Each structure stands twice: as structure tokens, then as C-alpha cells.
């Protein structure tokens, strides 16, 4: 059996595994009414406001597009345009805000990927949705895992208004304590870690951090079925008059 056949078999097995994934159960509260933090955390970790005036974050979705490389699974990433008003020049996953015509979160993620980098949705096999994250820009972000069976069928064509560059990185990198550093931050009186990964490919250097790093740590943990080899130091957010919840924030 050739390497291509082996890769296809591994991807098929992975697809079956991920289709069985169920996000951790939340409580009975409607998390569309969750408090948005300033740190980008799993929505299940965010307290619920017990007041009449409730905030409903806007919805967004990002695509974790995986494919088989020579040395294992790789994920497609972008470097955002330096002219954008938010997160300019930062590394991110393809994706964006939900459109009223989107059928679901997978539709949002794949539509945005097509608009940003020219990835045809028909090439992507959506296999799992992870639990929502909340971004510091008041977005409820759903990570959508999709598998790209034929990497050669995808020729990146970045939308220059939104994307400066398209590149690939090994997914397992986000479980390793290599080329990684962290910074301790504080929110609501509790301390937590923000992770930064340095990555170099084709003579270019990239910094993957914050919400994107957190989502990829979570995705890698699920795909490889093991925790990262570094401390995550996740806080408990405690707000007077608000339900306290433990967080599993990356």
C-alpha cells in the first residue's frame, strides 16, 4: 500500500473518531446570554448573567482544516492583512462572522474559508464542531473541524483585502512544549496563561497565540486524545451575583 493510501486510511479513521466527539455538557442556562470576557475563553467557562439586561454576543465560526502531510496531520492557517481594523497582521484560522443566510456554523466556516483563501467547501469533509469560545471582540466563536482529503486539489488564493499569507503547521505542535512561551495575565482577580507558539516555514516566521492558539491546543488534545505537555493554568472566574464555573481554557 502506498503512502497516499495509508494517508487516506488514517484520515478516514480520524473522521470516524471525530464524528463521535460531543462537546462537554453545559448547565441548563442559555449560553447565548453569557458574559463575554476579555481573554478569549471557552464559552462553557464563562459565567451567566443573572440580570434582566442580557448581552447576546455575535456568532462566528472558524475552520480547523486538517490534512495528511509527510510527517502527520497539518492545519491550514492564515496571516491576516495588516490593513484590517482588528487583529491586523495576526495569525488566525480561516473564518468569520455568521451571515444571516448561513445554514449553520459549518456553513459559516466553510463560506468564510472560500472567501478568504479560495478553499472550495466541496473539498472539505466537516466532521466535528467543538465547544464555543468567546473572543475579546465580543464574538461567540465555534471551531469547526474539517478534513481535506486531497491537499493537491486546493490551490490557495488569498483575498488580499483580508489575508496576507496562507501557510500550514503541524497540529501536534500545539501539544508540545517546544518553541512555546506563555504570559501570565489576570482577569477578575484570577491568573491564567496565554500561550505563544513560534513557527517558521519557507523562510517565514509566524507567531500563533491567544484565541487561535487556544483553539488549536483544544483541537489537538481531542484529535490526539492526550493533554498538552505544558501547564495550562486555567482560572476560576468568580463574579458577585453570577454563577461560578470552572474553566478549561487553553
Amino acid at each position: 500500500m502506498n503512502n497516499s493510501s495509508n494517508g487516506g486510511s488514517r484520515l478516514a479513521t480520524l473522521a470516524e473518531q471525530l464524528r463521535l466527539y460531543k462537546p462537554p455538557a453545559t448547565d441548563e442556562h442559555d449560553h447565548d446570554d453569557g458574559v463575554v470576557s476579555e481573554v478569549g475563553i471557552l464559552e462553557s467557562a464563562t459565567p451567566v448573567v443573572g440580570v434582566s439586561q442580557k448581552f447576546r454576543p455575535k456568532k462566528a465560526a472558524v475552520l480547523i482544516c486538517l490534512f495528511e502531510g509527510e510527517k502527520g496531520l497539518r492545519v491550514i492557517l492564515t496571516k491576516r492583512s495588516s490593513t484590517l481594523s482588528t487583529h491586523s497582521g495576526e495569525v488566525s484560522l480561516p473564518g468569520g462572522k455568521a451571515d444571516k443566510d448561513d445554514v449553520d456554523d459549518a456553513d459559516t466556516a466553510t463560506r468564510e474559508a472560500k472567501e478568504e483563501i479560495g478553499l472550495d467547501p466541496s473539498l472539505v469533509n466537516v466532521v466535528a464542531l467543538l465547544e464555543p469560545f468567546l473572543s475579546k471582540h465580543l464574538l461567540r466563536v465555534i471551531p469547526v473541524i474539517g478534513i481535506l482529503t486531497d491537499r493537491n486539489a486546493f490551490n490557495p488564493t488569498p483575498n488580499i483585502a483580508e489575508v496576507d499569507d496562507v501557510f500550514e503547521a503541524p497540529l501536534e505542535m500545539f501539544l508540545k512544549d517546544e518553541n512555546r512561551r506563555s504570559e501570565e495575565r489576570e482577569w477578575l482577580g484570577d491568573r491564567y496563561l496565554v500561550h505563544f507558539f513560534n513557527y517558521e516555514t519557507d523562510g517565514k516566521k509566524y507567531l500563533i497565540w491567544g484565541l487561535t492558539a487556544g483553539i488549536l491546543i483544544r483541537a489537538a488534545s481531542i484529535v490526539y486524545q492526550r493533554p498538552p505537555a505544558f501547564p495550562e493554568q486555567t482560572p476560576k472566574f468568580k463574579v458577585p451575583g453570577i454563577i461560578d464555573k470552572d474553566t478549561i481554557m487553553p
Side-chain angles (χ1 to χ4, degrees):
M1 184 179 291
N2 60 35
N3 290 337
S4 177
S5 297
N6 285 332
S9 176
R10 285 192 294 267
L11 288 177
T13 301
L14 176 63
E16 292 178 5
Q17 168 196 324
L18 291 174
R19 287 192 184 99
L20 298 175
Y21 176 74
K22 300 295 182 184
T26 59
D27 59 25
E28 70 275 12
H29 295 276
D30 178 3
H31 279 77
D32 279 345
D33 298 327
V35 176
V36 175
S37 80
E38 291 297 320
V39 298
I41 66 173
L42 284 172
E43 188 181 50
S44 59
T46 307
V48 177
V49 179
V51 295
S52 59
Q53 187 176 2
K54 297 177 179 179
F55 174 76
R56 292 183 179 273
K58 295 179 180 179
K59 293 182 64 177
V62 293
L63 181 64
I64 304 169
C65 188
L66 304 178
F67 66 93
E68 186 75 31
E70 292 183 1
K71 298 181 180 180
L73 289 173
R74 299 180 70 82
V75 60
I76 295 173
L77 293 164
T78 72
K79 183 178 180 182
R80 291 168 59 85
S81 170
S82 58
T83 63
L84 292 173
S85 59
T86 59
H87 300 293
S88 60
E90 293 184 5
V91 170
S92 69
L93 291 155
K97 295 179 183 177
D99 188 273
K100 60 182 178 60
D101 295 326
D102 290 341
V103 175
D104 52 24
D105 297 312
D107 194 30
T108 298
T110 54
R111 173 186 56 77
E112 284 284 339
K114 182 178 182 180
E115 293 176 4
E116 290 182 3
I117 61 175
L119 178 57
D120 188 336
S122 68
L123 297 175
V124 180
N125 179 19
V126 172
V127 293
L129 273 64
L130 305 188
E131 50 268 48
F133 281 67
L134 289 171
S135 83
K136 65 182 180 181
H137 288 288
L138 313 186
L139 288 176
R140 180 181 190 258
V141 182
I142 307 292
V144 176
I145 298 183
I147 292 177
L148 180 63
T149 304
D150 185 1
R151 173 62 181 85
N152 293 328
F154 169 48
N155 180 30
T157 53
N159 177 348
I160 59 174
E162 299 185 50
V163 175
D164 280 346
D165 200 5
V166 181
F167 67 100
E168 311 157 356
L171 181 66
E172 196 173 14
M173 176 180 78
F174 299 98
L175 295 181
K176 297 180 178 180
D177 197 13
E178 301 171 6
N179 301 313
R180 184 200 67 87
R181 64 181 174 87
S182 60
E183 292 182 5
E184 192 173 62
R185 304 282 176 88
E186 183 175 328
W187 190 67
L188 295 180
D190 212 340
R191 296 183 180 277
Y192 64 97
L193 293 178
V194 175
H195 299 281
F196 300 76
F197 294 85
N198 290 298
Y199 181 63
E200 184 172 354
T201 182
D202 296 330
K204 298 178 181 179
K205 296 181 179 180
Y206 301 95
L207 179 64
I208 307 164
W209 69 286
L211 183 62
T212 297
I215 289 174
L216 289 170
I217 292 170
R218 181 65 178 157
S221 298
I222 293 166
V223 168
Y224 290 100
Q225 300 184 342
R226 71 175 192 266
F230 48 83
E232 295 181 80
Q233 189 177 323
T234 54
K236 293 180 180 180
F237 293 97
K238 300 175 181 179
V239 183
I242 296 177
I243 299 171
D244 292 340
K245 306 191 72 172
D246 292 347
T247 176
I248 52 174
M249 183 190 72

